[in-house]
Amino acid sequence: MKLKKSLPGLRSTAVRQNPRPLGRGASLPYRDIDRFLIYLYIMSITSIQDILPLVEQPSRYLGSEINTIKKDHDKVKLCFALAFPDLYEIGTSHLGLQILYHILNSHDEIAAERVFAPAVDLEAYLRTYDIPLVSLESQKPLDRFDIIGFSLLYELNYTNMLTMLDLANIPFFARQRDGSFPLVIAGGPCTCNPEPVADFFDAMVVGDGENVIMEMSRIWLKWKTSDISDKETLLKMWSDIEGVYIPMFFNPKFGGAGFQTIDPEYSHYQTVKRAVVDDLDRAFFPEAPIIHYGKPVHDRLSLEVSRGCTRGCRFCQAGVIYRPVRERSPETLIALSDASIASTGYEDISLLSLSTGDYGCIVPLMERLMARCESGHIAVSFPSLRAGTLTPELMNLVKRVRKTGFTIAPEAGSQRLRDVINKNITEKEIADTVKDAFSLGWRVIKLYFMIGLPTETDEDLQAIVDLVKTLRGIKRPNGRIAKINVSVATFIPKPHTPFQWSPQITLAESKQKIRWLQKSLKMSGIHFKWQGPEVSMLEGLWARGDRRLSRLLLAAYNKGCKFDGWSDKFQYKLWQEAFCDEGVDIDFYTTRVRDLAEPLPWDHIDTRVTRNFLINEWQKASKGELTADCRSGDCSVCGVCDFDFIEPKVFETCKEETEKPLSQDDFKKTFYKKLKISYSKQSHAKYFGHLELVKIFLRAIRRAGITVQFSEGFHPKPRISFEDPLPIGMESLNECFYILVAGNVKPQFIIDRFNEHLPEGLRVFDCQLVPAKSARKATTSATYMVTKRDGFFDEKELKCFAKSPEFIFSRTRRKGKIKRIDLKEMVINIELPAPDRLKMTLKSEPGKTVRPFEVIDKIFSLKEEEIKQAKVVKL
């Protein structure tokens, strides 16, 4: 009898049909024994750990990464869950989450832990087995935390937020949650228009969160020990903190025209002013960030060099809500990079800001960073580059280790339209930057454009094509045509920008423009891609929506919408059904022209940029007039700065380096020897894939301070090689790899240092010198012990295999080729030491191997889940 791959509702059904444990002598309430076995199997699955063998990329759910912080919850007063409503690979790359995690855990009475949206496979198993969503660090159910804080970075993550609350058995709406449930709060750029999701949250943070989150936590600790500990009292105390929005104290009203206005509950609390960290040099920044497992989207050390931007692009929401520009000093950045590289072992540093090339001391900073990083083969990159700020001098510094990505965002094709949006770059600056990049060895550049910008004409679209052709005509030094990746997205008007009154183009217009560009840019060397117009339309709806949309979100979620930002999961038809069911006119929020006098749903959120400034910029845009960069020109009087505490902070000078770091020539003189490192891979480490395991060891080498030899060439890499990689889910008592290390390094030092820097489950136990000219012995066989999680192996099936003269099965290879393998030739020995344990020795030949999981599957009549959940140890 085999279980189906998906068992929705079987656990709850089993509980309903057999609500009480069987007493001695009681008869089975089931019609047959198979049904009872299903019941036993389902009831044995009680935690996420039981499910991990069944899901893809299980390491994303372990919570054992280097630099995680685990506290005893019995010894703290506040348990804080930091929730990110997207996959681990997305959320764990977010710098803001790292900052909040470490700043909260710096307080002795607070334990902060992470939780991410589970992938659809894990979600299905959680629902099937009625297991709640838990945090990574302690595996504690989410509903047992005191506060859950969501990071809202992207509007299309809103349905994932509901998924997480649903899996935690927490009511969606704030009004439905009494004191027995955690407080649910949110922060991030989406809170600059909190209204579409305001009904779901007890509190929302507008602006920089570092100081606000600590003040909210301190007030919670004080409130928890006070005589009056009702929820509304706490919310009133929180409302006194600058940057904190309490939705229940702001009542929405809707007039005949459908516009939302806000009726504040209290006269002293009518607007919410954005919180601003005035000095980044004094702000908290983690020196030991968590080192992610798997393949995060940003797998590098993120170093925030500045916050805010002075360029004044009229479409850019971040350029408004992060004003003014505040830079970290070069000395602070150097100290942070030194400490963070030592604690992480990363091989890449990314200098983050809205416009890194504008950083006042960018060249001196890069010179000092590269002087430190070059000898260790650590690359330094920018997330994107602004044409005109990336000089040949800066490019030469970037490419000293290896060339990183190269992205330029002209946004518009014509100079007229770039003037409308206040993108102060010329076509000549763009072309010169690309020409410099190609001459210095870059082979691929990425260009980013928007369609549907205010006042856009057909001529502006043609200008995109013309600009791409011009750049395509710039030859590389070898005379070859370079590769250009062109990315296009539909412009989405965002709150608190000069274009917040602008209409978004219709779905039909967006599709027509993209099709035309796709056809016009169909030429060699050009790769064209775009964001789906439906995705942009939905993002536009949520960006400028009001509180009526909360019921739409719930309706879409109930229809199955989730991971809407992922093209393979996005289901626009379900959203259209929800629009119809809830009577939502999407054009009311997106494509209509707004009057300047019209009330806006986010009017009570004060970003510190005045409405008059935004209106003036909107009017200047219609005339094609530019506004100068206030970094180098006059103050634009946007209203953000008070010039007492809040004002631009930039650094134009940088102290000279007093200590000369080692150069690569110093390392070339080093004598290297080859070592064989033996290690075990057990417990949760079995969930590491091979490439993931290699990365874990390489970063442990850096943290341990072990000097290794690098390869020569364009992309130098450590000289390390692993023997036959294990599949995910298999443990081993003895694996090995080979590495070239400095000749003066002692084997015991290698063992000790590795074990200080490896995650749980990995342990180095031997280190041997490999004699010169010795050939590596080919492994001819391996022995495994397989233990079933539940039940036992069928001895009759094993005897049947033993008696068979041959046991042929087929394996589909690449390109659909079929390979026939005789299992009898590959299984040297197989026996049952116990009914639930199977010991086997398998032959291994070049190009011809079988895995224990495969052997079990072919010999025994076992369910796929049973095979995956078996414990397999290579002896």
Side-chain angles (χ1 to χ4, degrees):
M1 187 272 303
K2 292 191 175 184
L3 275 178
K4 297 178 181 178
K5 288 185 178 179
S6 177
L7 301 168
L10 276 181
R11 182 184 179 88
S12 57
T13 300
V15 172
R16 285 197 305 272
Q17 294 183 355
N18 188 37
R20 292 171 295 188
L22 294 173
R24 181 175 297 179
S27 61
L28 290 175
Y30 298 97
R31 288 188 295 271
D32 53 48
I33 191 66
D34 282 353
R35 195 168 179 82
F36 183 59
L37 289 175
I38 293 176
Y39 167 76
L40 290 178
Y41 178 79
I42 293 173
M43 297 304 291
S44 70
I45 306 294
T46 59
S47 72
I48 283 184
Q49 300 307 312
D50 298 328
I51 299 171
L52 289 186
L54 308 176
V55 300
E56 294 181 356
Q57 301 179 47
S59 64
R60 55 164 65 132
Y61 307 113
L62 294 180
S64 60
E65 306 99 314
I66 297 295
N67 296 332
T68 53
I69 300 170
K70 298 184 179 182
K71 295 185 177 181
D72 184 346
H73 286 202
D74 292 333
K75 296 180 180 179
V76 298
K77 296 179 180 178
L78 169 58
C79 293
F80 204 124
L82 294 170
F84 197 96
D86 209 331
L87 293 181
Y88 172 90
E89 290 77 12
I90 305 297
T92 198
S93 299
H94 177 48
L95 179 59
L97 191 72
Q98 293 263 21
I99 292 173
L100 296 179
Y101 178 83
H102 287 279
I103 197 171
L104 284 166
N105 277 311
S106 68
H107 195 294
D108 291 339
E109 295 181 314
I110 302 173
E113 300 187 355
R114 301 161 297 146
V115 60
F116 301 93
V120 291
D121 58 348
L122 179 61
E123 180 194 345
Y125 282 115
L126 293 179
R127 294 188 187 280
T128 295
Y129 300 120
D130 197 23
I131 297 172
L133 186 63
V134 298
S135 66
L136 291 188
E137 282 78 0
S138 67
Q139 301 288 297
K140 180 176 181 174
L142 207 54
D143 64 348
R144 289 170 51 194
F145 280 81
D146 300 304
I147 300 175
I148 301 171
F150 279 92
S151 294
L152 301 183
L153 273 68
Y154 184 32
E155 293 88 349
L156 298 195
N157 283 343
Y158 289 165
T159 49
N160 297 344
M161 172 192 74
L162 296 190
T163 299
M164 297 173 75
L165 291 175
D166 195 8
L167 289 172
N169 299 310
I170 296 172
F172 293 143
F173 292 99
R175 63 178 179 271
Q176 297 172 335
R177 298 190 294 265
D178 58 22
S180 65
F181 291 101
L183 292 149
V184 182
I185 68 174
C190 289
T191 62
C192 68
N193 177 21
E195 291 309 290
V197 290
D199 286 338
F200 301 106
F201 294 102
D202 297 301
M204 305 178 83
V205 176
V206 180
D208 296 334
E210 297 99 311
N211 297 338
V212 177
I213 204 70
M214 291 308 295
E215 185 60 23
M216 292 178 76
S217 298
R218 281 189 283 266
I219 287 177
W220 185 95
L221 291 168
K222 180 180 178 181
W223 163 81
K224 195 65 176 177
T225 57
S226 66
D227 296 332
I228 305 175
S229 57
D230 65 290
K231 182 175 175 178
E232 187 168 348
T233 298
L234 173 65
L235 297 181
K236 287 179 180 178
M237 295 167 73
W238 274 356
S239 71
D240 291 330
I241 304 172
E242 187 169 78
V244 174
Y245 174 50
I246 309 296
M248 70 174 289
F249 296 160
F250 291 80
N251 302 309
K253 292 185 176 180
F254 298 92
F259 303 146
Q260 174 181 303
T261 57
I262 290 292
D263 183 17
E265 189 109 346
Y266 301 103
S267 59
H268 69 282
Y269 185 49
Q270 299 193 37
T271 60
V272 177
K273 182 170 285 190
R274 174 172 64 96
V276 178
V277 171
D278 63 314
D279 188 345
L280 286 193
D281 258 0
R282 291 189 289 110
F284 178 88
F285 196 85
E287 293 184 351
I290 295 169
I291 309 170
H292 334 104
Y293 288 150
K295 297 180 180 179
V297 290
H298 301 301
D299 193 14
R300 58 185 71 95
L301 175 65
S302 296
L303 204 59
E304 185 188 32
V305 299
S306 65
R307 197 174 297 179
C309 179
T310 58
R311 291 287 182 169
C313 298
R314 292 173 179 135
F315 60 85
C316 182
Q317 186 183 67
V320 173
I321 64 174
Y322 291 114
R323 291 187 179 206
V325 65
R326 292 144 288 159
E327 296 181 349
R328 280 190 168 87
S329 69
E331 291 71 36
T332 298
L333 292 171
I334 292 295
L336 286 173
S337 69
D338 287 348
S340 299
I341 287 294
S343 67
T344 62
Y346 278 123
E347 54 285 318
D348 289 276
I349 299 175
S350 181
L351 302 182
L352 295 185
S353 83
L354 293 176
S355 183
T356 305
D358 287 332
Y359 180 75
C361 289
I362 187 62
V363 171
L365 174 65
M366 282 293 296
E367 288 174 340
R368 290 180 64 178
L369 282 175
M370 293 311 303
R372 284 169 151 75
C373 296
E374 186 177 10
S375 61
H377 300 278
I378 299 169
V380 181
S381 64
F382 304 153
S384 65
L385 308 165
R386 185 182 178 93
T389 62
L390 192 69
T391 62
E393 179 184 19
L394 205 51
M395 292 184 200
N396 269 312
L397 288 168
V398 169
K399 74 166 193 171
R400 272 167 59 177
V401 172
R402 57 182 172 274
K403 297 181 184 69
T404 53
F406 195 105
T407 303
I408 298 176
E411 314 292 0
S414 69
Q415 192 60 51
R416 183 201 71 82
L417 194 52
R418 284 196 292 273
D419 290 345
V420 168
I421 65 178
N422 207 48
K423 185 81 176 183
N424 290 307
I425 56 172
T426 65
E427 184 170 325
K428 182 179 185 304
E429 288 175 320
I430 297 169
D432 287 347
T433 301
V434 171
K435 190 181 299 181
D436 289 336
F438 288 159
S439 67
L440 289 170
W442 269 269
R443 301 173 184 176
V444 181
I445 64 166
K446 299 176 184 177
L447 301 174
Y448 179 79
F449 296 95
M450 285 187 285
I451 58 169
L453 287 161
T455 78
E456 182 185 73
T457 64
D458 291 343
E459 288 74 20
D460 297 311
L461 281 182
Q462 181 62 51
I464 292 177
V465 176
D466 295 341
L467 177 58
V468 172
K469 287 182 177 179
T470 297
L471 300 180
R472 178 176 176 266
I474 300 173
K475 298 289 194 299
R476 289 165 46 200
N478 59 10
R480 295 181 181 176
I481 295 176
K483 294 180 180 178
I484 300 178
N485 295 331
V486 179
S487 181
V488 170
T490 304
F491 165 65
I492 302 167
K494 291 293 181 93
H496 303 290
T497 69
F499 289 164
Q500 65 182 355
W501 293 282
S502 172
Q504 184 171 338
I505 61 173
T506 65
L507 208 54
E509 288 177 294
S510 181
K511 290 179 178 179
Q512 185 272 326
K513 290 173 187 284
I514 287 173
R515 279 195 299 266
W516 185 86
L517 284 172
Q518 184 182 19
K519 182 179 179 181
S520 301
L521 290 172
K522 196 172 184 178
M523 59 189 77
S524 62
I526 304 299
H527 176 66
F528 181 78
K529 63 179 183 178
W530 63 95
Q531 176 172 287
E534 293 87 355
V535 173
S536 301
M537 184 59 68
L538 192 62
E539 184 179 341
L541 167 69
W542 289 103
R544 293 192 291 176
D546 55 37
R547 214 175 284 196
R548 288 173 294 192
L549 293 188
S550 61
R551 68 176 189 268
L552 171 66
L553 186 67
L554 186 57
Y557 172 73
N558 286 332
K559 288 180 179 293
C561 293
K562 65 186 72 173
F563 291 108
D564 300 298
W566 295 77
S567 58
D568 60 333
K569 302 291 190 299
F570 183 59
Q571 301 182 77
Y572 193 61
K573 286 184 178 180
L574 296 183
W575 279 101
Q576 289 176 308
E577 291 176 13
F579 298 154
C580 184
D581 292 350
E582 297 301 322
V584 172
D585 179 6
I586 191 171
D587 292 332
F588 175 82
Y589 296 98
T590 56
T591 59
R592 69 180 178 86
V593 178
R594 284 165 168 76
D595 189 87
L596 292 177
E598 175 185 322
L600 300 172
W602 52 88
D603 278 342
H604 54 300
I605 304 299
D606 180 6
T607 65
R608 298 175 183 263
V609 174
T610 66
R611 187 184 184 93
N612 286 339
F613 172 79
L614 296 178
I615 291 174
N616 187 45
E617 285 295 297
W618 172 235
Q619 293 170 340
K620 289 174 72 174
S622 64
K623 301 173 186 175
E625 296 178 3
L626 296 173
T627 297
D629 185 340
C630 67
R631 178 190 290 266
S632 54
D634 295 332
C635 174
S636 57
V637 198
C638 69
V640 167
C641 299
D642 59 17
F643 298 101
D644 289 325
F645 300 102
I646 301 175
E647 61 182 347
K649 288 184 172 60
V650 298
F651 293 87
E652 303 293 347
T653 59
C654 180
K655 294 180 183 178
E656 292 187 7
E657 187 73 78
T658 57
E659 182 179 339
K660 184 180 178 182
L662 292 173
S663 69
Q664 287 196 28
D665 291 335
D666 296 317
F667 287 92
K668 288 178 180 178
K669 300 172 186 176
T670 304
F671 165 72
Y672 293 94
K673 60 186 178 184
K674 189 174 184 179
L675 298 177
K676 178 183 178 181
I677 311 294
S678 299
Y679 66 95
S680 60
K681 182 186 179 188
Q682 296 179 278
S683 186
H684 286 167
K686 69 181 179 182
Y687 296 121
F688 299 142
H690 177 62
L691 295 179
E692 188 175 6
L693 183 74
V694 172
K695 187 167 60 178
I696 287 170
F697 271 107
L698 289 178
R699 289 175 177 169
I701 288 169
R702 287 186 183 273
R703 292 194 305 277
I706 300 170
T707 302
V708 300
Q709 188 178 44
F710 278 75
S711 63
E712 301 290 337
F714 199 65
H715 289 291
K717 294 184 178 179
R719 299 283 297 275
I720 184 171
S721 61
F722 284 73
E723 289 197 341
D724 185 32
L726 293 175
I728 292 177
M730 186 183 296
E731 300 182 46
S732 177
L733 302 182
N734 189 358
E735 294 296 297
C736 69
F737 63 88
Y738 299 86
I739 189 169
L740 287 160
V741 304
N744 61 344
V745 177
K746 295 181 179 180
Q748 191 58 46
F749 173 83
I750 296 281
I751 295 173
D752 293 342
R753 293 295 287 164
F754 259 128
N755 290 330
E756 289 174 16
H757 292 278
L758 288 173
E760 57 187 83
L762 292 175
R763 187 181 71 85
V764 170
F765 60 84
D766 192 30
C767 178
Q768 298 289 335
L769 179 66
V770 178
K773 298 182 180 180
S774 64
R776 188 186 301 181
K777 294 181 180 179
T779 302
T780 58
S781 65
T783 301
Y784 305 87
M785 182 66 75
V786 183
T787 306
K788 272 185 101 279
R789 183 179 181 276
D790 298 296
F792 50 84
F793 292 101
D794 190 331
E795 190 173 2
K796 291 180 180 179
E797 291 180 317
L798 183 59
K799 287 180 178 179
C800 181
F801 170 76
K803 292 178 180 178
S804 301
E806 63 178 17
F807 202 99
I808 306 296
F809 73 94
S810 298
R811 180 190 290 165
T812 304
R813 308 184 71 182
R814 292 180 181 177
K815 299 182 180 179
K817 292 183 179 180
I818 304 296
K819 183 175 182 179
R820 288 167 56 83
I821 298 174
D822 186 355
L823 206 58
K824 294 286 288 187
E825 292 181 3
M826 304 306 296
V827 179
I828 298 173
N829 184 56
I830 186 166
E831 59 183 352
L832 287 172
D836 64 340
R837 285 190 295 158
L838 182 71
K839 187 176 182 181
M840 67 178 80
T841 301
L842 305 180
K843 185 187 295 185
S844 178
E845 298 176 359
K848 190 177 180 181
T849 58
V850 292
R851 296 293 191 188
F853 292 116
E854 206 167 26
V855 174
I856 300 169
D857 181 49
K858 303 305 176 186
I859 296 178
F860 299 96
S861 300
L862 297 177
K863 303 178 292 290
E864 182 182 358
E865 287 89 349
E866 286 184 287
I867 296 171
K868 288 183 176 180
Q869 289 180 311
K871 179 179 180 179
V872 181
V873 182
K874 184 179 176 184
L875 303 178

